[in-house]
Amino acid sequence: MPSETPNPQHLTLRFKQHKTTILLFVSPHQSLTSVKEDLLYAIRATRITEINGNPLPSSPKDIILGVPLDANDPSQGWINLEIPDLEEDGGKKGSHKASVLNATPIGAGLKDGMVLAFKFRKETSGGDDMDIDDHEWDVILPSYDDEEGSQVKNGEEADSDAVDDI
């Protein structure tokens, strides 16, 4: 369920997977875990059970968020938003320093109107969670060519003068 009623301080974020886009209003100080909960709630509210053959996860922890490599050109690809935690105490096992970049949208550098990709963790046959390859983000971005379409007449492209006369 959404955390709170949107107000002017909230960020508008667009979450994309395949051809699906979900628009969410999030507080800049809301935890990213809470943002994932809101995203999963929004997807379930539309009665979607899978996106491009990928079933919805049972937990928001199984959602992976990605940001564009180039904010001005999302077609360049995506990178995982979650930064691995740094080890402290000389690299001893079991001790991790929580990264502020993983805590909130503002800490992660997200801005109003930003596009984020999302994907779901897949389970292996052994029951262990396994991430999809970091380079495989299933995001289809619309282009002007998709909307304009090509003018095809009898299997051949019509010339622009003939189309203007119609």
Side-chain angles (χ1 to χ4, degrees), residues 3-12 24-28 30 112:
S3 303
E4 55 187 82
T5 304
N7 63 45
Q9 287 77 34
H10 277 73
L11 302 175
T12 303
L24 286 182
F25 299 107
V26 300
S27 168
Q30 180 177 349
D112 191 41

Side-chain angles (χ1 to χ4, degrees), residues 121-131:
R121 293 186 200 278
K122 290 187 176 181
E123 290 186 21
T124 60
S125 59
D128 296 331
D129 286 342
M130 183 179 107
D131 290 348

Side-chain angles (χ1 to χ4, degrees), residues 140-149:
I140 297 176
L141 299 169
S143 68
Y144 289 112
D145 295 336
D146 292 342
E147 290 189 19
E148 291 176 8

